[in-house]
Amino acid sequence: MPAIDSHPDGVAIWIDLSSTEPDRAATFYGDLFGWNRTEPDEQMGGYSQFTYQGKLVAGLGPKQSPDMPDFWCTYFQTPNIEATVKEVSTSGGSVFVEPMEIPSQGTMAIVMDPGSDPASNGGRNGHGAVFGLWEPREHKGFQLYMEANAPCYFELLSTDFAKAVEFYPAVTGRQTITLSDTDEFRYAQLSLPEAEPGEGYAGIMDGRGFLPADVPSHWSIYIGVVDADATAARVEELGGTVVAAPMDTPYGRLATISDPWGAQIKLQQVP
């Protein structure tokens, strides 16, 4: 497939991993997905990028604090990061990293959605989901999408579904389409105007029924694979963990895995 050279505003356009051991993590994901790694940029704190067949797919850097877990972060494109960060605060979210310019590449910020009130939510962890914002210049985001070994989908597991479906349209400018609204299964999608229901680029799921009480809201990233079962088996060979074994769903065969340092990511079998 040809490289993607731009993305619409308001959609997820980049992912990166904050890792305890970036060099070993690069080897793990390289062996798992066939990704190559660019040379770490010491002026950017050792940040590097993953490529697949010469096209950008993700970023990799050392985590900024030993107290934080290894995790994959999802970034949404904005045409005006200063205005979007203000909207995050106005809509009840928090700002962890104020807009910071990356010379010639773009401007980033790290923010968090409102989360939930533990007092009214069964004592659950009330922390919101952390995500990134990106106003692009030369760096336009990942260059492959909906393909094997590239990002395919993004999904928020939220401890406060009602807040989430109000917050993200306000911040991203993208409408939500509700696919199910029952106590057993609440699910909405952030969608492009021309998309049909079920064709959104990101989902919002009510996680209160199954998330452990100590697990906060969080964004999950799906990576496309040709064979979910073979990839899951390879994860264990490489020292990772299969958190949820491959299973068939209406959206394909899915699995959840963890790298050896605890960062989780999902697999989606694609043609």
Side-chain angles (χ1 to χ4, degrees), residues 116-119 121-128 157-160 207-218:
S116 60
D117 179 3
N121 199 19
R124 304 181 64 87
N125 189 316
H127 292 306
L157 302 181
S158 177
T159 58
D160 196 321
R208 289 174 297 178
F210 58 89
L211 281 178
D214 61 340
V215 175
S217 301
H218 60 274

